[in-house]
Amino acid sequence: MSEIDVSKFEKKIELRNIEFEDIDEILELQQICFPGNMEPWEREQLESHLRIFPEGQFCVTYEGKIVGSCSSLMVNFDEYDDKHTWDEITDKGYITNHDPEGFNLYGIEVMVHPEYRRMKIGARLYEARKELAEQKNLKSIILGGRIPNYHKHSKEMTPREYVREVIQHNIYDPVLTFQLMNGFTVMRLNKSYLPDDKQSNAYATLMEWNNVDYIPNKTKKYFKTSEPVRITTIQYMMKTINSFEDFATQVEYYTDVASDQGSDFAVFPELLTTQLLSFCEEKSPSLAIRKLTEFTEQYIELFTNLAVRYNVNIIGGSHFVEEDGDIYNVAYLFRRDGTIDKQYKIHITPNERKWWGITAGDKVQVFDTDCGKVAILICYDIEFPELSRIVTDQGAKIIFTPFCTEDRQGYLRVRYCSQARAIENEIYTAIAGTVGNLSQVENMDIQYAQSGIFTPSDFSFPRDGIVGECHPNIETVVVGDVDLEILRRQRKTGSVTLLRDRRLDLYSVVQKDKSK
């Protein structure tokens, strides 16, 4: 088998600002999202949005097709009546009342194509608004939210009672429930907010999300105080399964957990897919691994879909891949925008050579993500300090290490080296390992792990350089935040500045190009 072209599995999802060329497609999208329920946008209104406040108009494209959009403007909300209508707050949809010096971002519409719901499209649009509010140092985001399921209950309860039941999770409303889950709170109910909204009986909830980083000042200049990245490392239980679907269910569960925690990265362990051998009859380790490579395309397709659907970047553990007759241990990065990258394991353990005949990779890489540059060093690779120094020099701020070890000694080698790499390179590291056993799979008998997230050692970081760690040898996760802004400051003003103080006049670490 030749090298798999992962580009055919990539499903590009992109969040960007709306452009004039998108208007026709957005008008079509609105007809699909709200058929016969509300008056659609006029072209002139959307053109006005882009002329007046292009930064506040966002869309999400999937494979080049617009599947979601949102519109907004800035206002000084104190100048408006709490009982305002949609026409009043938007100047009848033209946003000519947009105030560049306003203190609040006001959301006037969000729509998601029905066929692409449950893919976090709405959440991406809301996050874009939040980032815009933070960048512009705005006090809050305010919006008038529809309650489209209210018409189903209007005969037995008032709008206020309906909203209370939704807040208490006794009733599901696709808009209000979503807004509550995204950190918005109900300020009041507005009657006749959108007279043509028949599903909501013209009512709307006035909702607000407060920017906790808001700095009251006259210039409203934005000061960057933090750049947090949330990581979920998954301590994955290796247990007998009967099909690829069983594997997919277990993997999706943990992706969902990471997404629910608002994680930017979900990290699975090395050799994750050897669990599939529990329902394969081949007993010879070397032949079993070649059989495992037959699942490569299913594995890539599964994780690509999960990354997009759950809006989280996934380090998909590692998987054995056959290329031109050789078997490689490969870790894939599945970005939440649908793109894919991969890192081959550079250093092969004696065990991997003996039982499986694994071939070593030739290049260590750094990957761009929406949370900065990261690298992946698979298990044994973290024990070779040269690799970490190379990726640090190339800009990596986080090193992810999927690992699989069978005893405490092997685990501690990975753990101690990962913490050492964090200190000597002034970076963050995260390790994710397997637990449990696959008693019927040769050379995958037992597992030992205590997954964790680590930092440099200085006053700006946790006392022991540990953001979080799992309990050993149980199926669980650890969730933690690392701050790239703190890391940047630490490299300049820490108690020690290891990167700055290197004697580059005496030594250096260089990656050779084996292709030459």
Side-chain angles (χ1 to χ4, degrees):
M1 179 185 293
S2 61
E3 180 178 349
I4 291 178
D5 179 11
V6 298
S7 64
K8 68 180 181 181
F9 296 99
E10 292 184 332
K11 297 180 179 180
K12 179 69 173 178
I13 189 167
E14 179 184 13
L15 187 148
R16 60 173 174 81
N17 287 114
I18 295 172
E19 300 173 353
F20 282 94
E21 295 76 19
D22 301 321
I23 290 178
D24 286 339
E25 197 170 349
I26 290 173
L27 292 173
E28 292 177 9
L29 177 63
Q30 189 176 47
Q31 294 285 3
I32 296 171
C33 293
F34 310 117
N37 183 48
M38 296 188 303
E39 292 184 10
W41 287 117
E42 298 288 343
R43 167 177 286 278
E44 292 76 14
Q45 292 171 320
L46 296 179
E47 289 176 347
S48 182
H49 298 177
L50 296 179
R51 283 195 300 269
I52 293 171
F53 186 39
E55 298 167 89
Q57 322 310 317
F58 296 99
C59 69
V60 173
T61 64
Y62 184 67
E63 295 291 88
K65 174 183 177 180
I66 295 179
V67 296
S69 72
C70 70
S71 303
S72 58
L73 70 154
M74 286 169 57
V75 298
N76 182 2
F77 192 66
D78 291 340
E79 298 175 358
Y80 292 84
D81 190 323
D82 281 351
K83 300 178 182 179
H84 66 273
T85 66
W86 186 87
D87 277 347
E88 291 169 345
I89 201 70
T90 69
D91 193 20
K92 296 185 178 181
Y94 288 89
I95 72 166
T96 51
N97 57 322
H98 167 73
D99 182 1
E101 299 301 318
F103 291 91
N104 314 93
L105 189 70
Y106 196 103
I108 59 177
E109 182 169 77
V110 172
M111 53 185 175
V112 176
H113 195 296
E115 295 179 7
Y116 297 86
R117 287 168 187 168
R118 301 184 65 81
M119 288 179 60
K120 309 289 183 181
I121 304 297
R124 295 169 196 262
L125 293 168
Y126 270 58
E127 285 303 311
R129 281 178 172 171
K130 290 176 183 178
E131 290 180 12
L132 180 62
E134 291 167 349
Q135 290 167 7
K136 290 187 169 294
N137 190 33
L138 301 180
K139 185 176 181 180
S140 68
I141 302 174
I142 298 173
L143 51 86
R146 302 174 60 236
I147 45 176
N149 277 1
Y150 174 58
H151 70 282
K152 300 177 182 179
H153 303 269
S154 59
K155 293 182 179 179
E156 65 264 17
M157 62 181 66
T158 66
R160 183 173 298 279
E161 290 170 338
Y162 174 80
V163 169
R164 185 183 304 116
E165 289 296 298
V166 175
I167 292 174
Q168 294 176 352
H169 300 285
N170 296 325
I171 294 176
Y172 171 78
D173 185 277
V175 175
L176 178 54
T177 301
F178 173 78
Q179 290 165 344
L180 293 168
M181 294 292 289
N182 277 273
F184 283 77
T185 56
V186 178
M187 299 167 65
R188 60 169 288 114
L189 265 169
N190 281 13
K191 187 177 181 180
S192 300
Y193 182 78
L194 268 172
D196 58 328
D197 184 3
K198 300 178 180 63
Q199 291 181 331
S200 305
N201 284 16
Y203 282 93
T205 53
L206 189 63
M207 310 285 290
E208 185 172 27
W209 172 85
N210 290 290
N211 177 14
V212 297
D213 293 322
Y214 170 65
I215 303 172
N217 61 71
K218 293 181 179 179
T219 63
K220 296 198 303 180
K221 184 177 180 181
Y222 175 69
F223 295 94
K224 188 171 187 178
T225 57
S226 66
E227 192 177 352
V229 175
R230 180 160 294 176
I231 300 170
T232 293
T233 61
I234 297 148
Q235 195 155 282
Y236 188 89
M237 175 67 74
M238 299 292 267
K239 53 192 175 186
T240 301
I241 55 177
N242 297 311
S243 65
F244 187 88
E245 288 69 29
D246 288 347
F247 171 75
T249 298
Q250 189 173 347
V251 167
E252 181 170 6
Y253 168 76
Y254 281 112
T255 305
D256 191 10
V257 168
S259 178
D260 283 346
Q261 296 299 322
S263 301
D264 297 294
F265 290 95
V267 190
F268 285 90
E270 182 191 25
L271 304 187
L272 176 77
T273 56
T274 55
Q275 187 181 27
L276 299 171
L277 294 178
S278 61
F279 61 82
C280 294
E281 296 182 358
E282 180 57 61
K283 297 301 181 183
S284 166
S286 59
L287 295 180
I289 290 307
R290 290 192 176 271
K291 191 171 186 63
L292 184 62
T293 65
E294 297 174 8
F295 291 97
T296 299
E297 294 196 0
Q298 284 178 270
Y299 158 82
I300 294 173
E301 187 171 18
L302 169 65
F303 275 95
T304 301
N305 289 334
L306 292 176
V308 171
R309 283 178 53 207
Y310 287 95
N311 192 27
V312 58
N313 300 302
I314 300 176
I315 311 300
S318 78
H319 172 69
F320 289 126
V321 176
E322 181 182 355
E323 295 177 4
D324 298 325
D326 293 326
I327 305 295
Y328 296 89
N329 188 352
V330 181
Y332 287 85
L333 166 63
F334 301 93
R335 297 184 186 85
R336 52 186 162 196
D337 68 359
T339 58
I340 307 169
D341 262 311
K342 58 185 177 180
Q343 173 65 58
Y344 293 76
K345 190 171 185 177
I346 304 297
H347 298 92
I348 306 304
T349 64
N351 184 287
E352 287 175 294
R353 279 196 296 269
K354 174 183 176 181
W355 289 93
W356 297 324
I358 303 303
T359 301
D362 290 334
K363 184 179 181 181
V364 63
Q365 301 183 81
V366 169
F367 306 112
D368 288 311
T369 73
D370 55 6
C371 298
K373 293 182 181 293
V374 305
I376 305 171
L377 298 181
I378 306 170
C379 197
Y380 199 26
D381 285 342
I382 197 67
E383 299 175 28
F384 295 83
E386 296 89 347
L387 297 187
S388 296
R389 182 52 52 85
I390 288 169
V391 297
T392 299
D393 285 343
Q394 292 177 2
K397 300 297 189 297
I398 307 171
I399 295 177
F400 297 107
T401 298
F403 73 93
C404 176
T405 52
E406 62 183 19
D407 52 46
R408 180 172 169 81
Q409 288 79 8
Y411 154 71
L412 287 177
R413 287 194 296 270
V414 173
R415 162 69 176 256
Y416 291 154
C417 288
S418 183
Q419 289 191 267
R421 304 297 88 86
I423 292 171
E424 65 202 18
N425 293 292
E426 296 178 297
I427 56 172
Y428 297 114
T429 59
I431 62 175
T434 53
V435 297
N437 63 76
L438 295 174
S439 56
Q440 72 280 39
V441 178
E442 193 74 28
N443 200 40
M444 288 297 294
D445 303 331
I446 57 174
Q447 322 283 308
Y448 187 101
Q450 186 176 13
S451 307
I453 306 167
F454 310 118
T455 75
S457 182
D458 212 331
F459 297 113
S460 299
F461 304 102
R463 186 186 67 177
D464 298 321
I466 302 171
V467 173
E469 57 186 340
C470 298
H471 290 292
N473 278 355
I474 64 171
E475 184 177 23
T476 186
V477 305
V478 61
V479 182
D481 288 347
V482 297
D483 195 316
L484 301 185
E485 176 63 15
I486 290 177
L487 193 69
R488 186 188 67 81
R489 296 177 188 177
Q490 172 68 23
R491 288 181 171 186
K492 291 184 176 182
T493 61
S495 299
V496 292
T497 49
L498 290 100
L499 291 179
R500 290 173 57 184
D501 294 340
R502 288 178 293 168
R503 288 292 306 275
L504 297 179
D505 58 321
L506 295 179
Y507 55 81
S508 64
V509 178
V510 179
Q511 179 174 202
K512 297 180 180 179
D513 187 351
K514 289 196 66 176
S515 65
K516 295 181 179 180

